[in-house]
Amino acid sequence: MSDGPSPTILLTNDDGIDAPGLATLRTELTALGDVTVVAPASNQSGVGRTRSHTAIVREHPWGVALDGTPADCVAYGLRGLDTDFDVVVSGVNNGPNAGNYVVGRSGTVGAGIESAFLGTPALAISAYHSTDFFLSPPKEYDFARPARIARRLVARALDAGVYDDVDLLNVNAPVDASSPPVILTEPYHDYEQDVEHVSPEGVAADGALSSDLELDGVDPDDLASDEHVVRLQDRTWPGVVGWESPFPPTDEHRERYPVGTDRRALVDAAVSVSPLSVTHASPDSAALADVVETISVE
């Protein structure tokens, strides 16, 4: 950092205020500036930028725990506290947030998006293991390296004026690579959806039993004769066998994801840094302009 005043930092996450990744990141960021924590009281993974109308706030030694989403935490922190924050940091998340679709639904990134809409720059930091992929259980992993990377990126980005052009930095860092390269990336566009048709008896069209049908809150006895259940399963890593995990790294996956994408960085055990914008900029479409000119309303 420069010789100017230390930054004021709002810290949040989506794994909950008691998550080890947040504790490690808070310790690291206190060496950089004045840190206030406003984090969900419980796990809020995968909620994106969902907002609530009301939320319960509880005092916490680091700040507050809020019964709400990560975006709620940022909204409360930036507008409900008597502090002008220089930057919002979200994480360290348990597991990567890479790929355009995953980034869009991530609560970790959603906190950063909310911050950017409210005019405060942000950094979202997520951790992964180069062979285990997800950190489960998280207490058995060391989040120190991703936390150090986040601190260094925040400090240098603020000094260098990065946030003059960028709203949010989405970062994925390995916990197990001793000296990982840091790579400028963009989210990879890769997504598919599986739809399973389930009969009122809880049997899928292929004859397989859907044993967890009841866990989805569906009682087959409550279905009308013209109703049936469909199960919608995200395939956020299409073509991968297993639970959305591309690891262990193989030449097949290395070739599949182009150099410069966040997912290729993960396969290569690198730190992925993706600059994001929340402006929702529109593409320049001459064809659409022509269509609009031909539309008349009668």
Side-chain angles (χ1 to χ4, degrees), residues 95-240:
N97 281 300
N100 201 46
Y101 180 82
V102 176
V103 168
R105 76 174 187 180
S106 162
T108 303
V109 180
I113 294 174
E114 182 72 14
S115 176
F117 271 120
L118 290 173
T120 300
L123 181 142
I125 176 72
S126 300
Y128 70 96
H129 192 282
S130 65
T131 55
D132 296 345
F133 193 47
F134 286 103
L135 312 181
S136 180
K139 63 183 179 181
E140 295 185 3
Y141 293 84
D142 185 1
F143 290 86
R145 183 171 291 107
R148 287 196 301 271
I149 291 169
R151 174 178 60 82
R152 293 168 184 170
L153 278 170
V154 168
R156 296 177 188 179
L158 289 172
D159 270 352
V162 168
Y163 289 116
D164 293 343
D165 305 309
V166 174
D167 297 323
L168 163 65
L169 296 176
N170 182 48
V171 183
N172 292 277
V175 297
D176 58 317
S178 59
S179 299
V182 181
I183 300 173
L184 187 64
T185 59
E186 64 178 25
Y188 186 65
H189 301 268
D190 191 16
Y191 174 67
E192 191 48 78
Q193 176 75 210
D194 283 338
V195 178
E196 175 190 9
H197 295 268
V198 183
S199 74
E201 292 76 26
V203 179
D206 61 2
L209 290 175
S210 292
S211 58
D212 57 347
L213 181 62
E214 185 176 351
L215 297 179
D216 288 341
V218 177
D219 185 347
D221 294 334
D222 293 337
L223 296 175
S225 59
D226 60 346
E227 295 178 328
H228 74 283
V229 176
V230 293
R231 302 210 46 208
L232 308 175
Q233 179 64 46
D234 293 335
R235 291 177 56 203
T236 54
W237 295 79
V240 172

Side-chain angles (χ1 to χ4, degrees), residues 5 16 51 71 76 79 87-88 98 103 105 112 121-122 134 160 173-174 194 200 218 269 294:
R51 286 290 314 280
Y76 172 77
R79 295 295 184 266
V87 64
V88 169
V103 168
R105 76 174 187 180
F134 286 103
D194 283 338
V218 177
T294 66

